[in-house]
Amino acid sequence: MTPGFMAVIVMVAYASLAFELTILHVPSVASSRNIWVREPAVEAAYSPIWRTVFGLSRSTKVALFIPVLVVWGVYLYPSIALLGGGDPLGDQLFATTRATNAAAAVLIIAGRAITLGSVLTLRGCSSWADRGLSTEGLFRYSRNPGLVGMYAFVAGLWLTAPSLTMVCGIGVYVIHMHFKVRMEEDYLGNTIGEAYQAYQRRTRRYLP
């Protein structure tokens, strides 16, 4: 696949991501907004160890937004590299080929399809309790298929512009999202109870 064709795939994938975040968005109880605003009903449902996150100082919470900025940088870098016709940071690990572009296209398309499918499943649920126990479709195999799809997507983006800096950014992204997943699991375990814990035991967090 040519760089021009890859640029089209990446731009369409970005458009689908924008559509997901603006039109199909499913809010998380572990969102940065909830941590910042400290909604009492949400905060009270967490175990004491996680409630400490909500009680952090404003300056510390501002620092927690740094990983979010890194995440956006990770997602935007490939478009800058593709549209700019080169490697702006000068730390590309290897030259892209037709084979790496083909692998990137598969990961990007599959990743977006997996995430959008999981989002549509969650939007069909009426409450957070239902969402936590959703076992339809991809949720039969993973408790977080949407995030698995995002990881595949970002891996595909990296293959289009294999920057060393972007590898570090992806590491921050994975750690940041795993932290949010653990927070959400605590919330759902406390609010739903044994039914959610049984779901945890029979379904893996990420890959089956």
Side-chain angles (χ1 to χ4, degrees):
M1 295 184 181
T2 64
F5 187 68
M6 283 306 305
V8 171
I9 290 177
V10 169
M11 291 301 107
V12 171
Y14 282 143
S16 74
L17 179 62
F19 179 76
E20 174 198 333
L21 295 177
T22 56
I23 306 300
L24 301 179
H25 180 59
V26 178
S28 168
V29 290
S31 68
S32 298
R33 177 191 177 280
N34 279 339
I35 293 174
W36 180 268
V37 185
R38 297 190 66 174
E39 295 184 9
V42 174
E43 184 176 351
Y46 282 97
S47 299
I49 189 172
W50 290 108
R51 283 202 295 270
T52 59
V53 176
F54 293 85
L56 295 172
S57 66
R58 290 278 178 170
S59 58
T60 303
K61 287 182 179 180
V62 168
L64 291 178
F65 278 92
I66 293 176
V68 177
L69 297 178
V70 172
V71 168
W72 283 111
V74 164
Y75 278 104
L76 292 176
Y77 178 79
S79 65
I80 296 171
L82 285 171
L83 297 177
D87 173 24
L89 293 178
D91 64 347
Q92 189 163 309
L93 295 175
F94 55 84
T96 58
T97 65
R98 288 183 180 272
T100 60
N101 283 341
V106 169
L107 286 169
I108 289 171
I109 294 170
R112 293 307 301 137
I114 290 170
T115 298
L116 287 172
S118 66
V119 167
L120 290 174
T121 298
L122 289 178
R123 283 181 63 84
C125 299
S126 60
S127 68
W128 266 108
D130 293 334
R131 291 169 186 171
L133 286 175
S134 176
T135 58
E136 299 298 319
L138 295 170
F139 286 91
R140 290 177 293 177
Y141 311 105
S142 168
R143 301 200 305 271
N144 299 280
L147 188 53
V148 171
M150 292 301 287
Y151 288 160
F153 175 39
V154 78
L157 290 178
W158 179 77
L159 281 176
T160 68
S163 160
L164 177 60
T165 301
M166 190 174 172
V167 170
C168 299
I170 291 172
V172 173
Y173 173 46
V174 171
I175 293 170
H176 175 70
M177 294 310 299
H178 182 70
F179 178 80
K180 293 297 186 70
V181 166
R182 293 296 300 274
M183 282 191 70
E184 192 169 289
E185 287 175 347
D186 180 76
Y187 177 92
L188 294 172
N190 290 340
T191 55
I192 300 175
E194 175 56 31
Y196 181 74
Q197 292 160 15
Y199 176 54
Q200 285 182 300
R201 289 192 292 269
R202 69 176 182 269
T203 309
R204 290 183 179 273
R205 179 180 287 131
Y206 298 120
L207 296 177

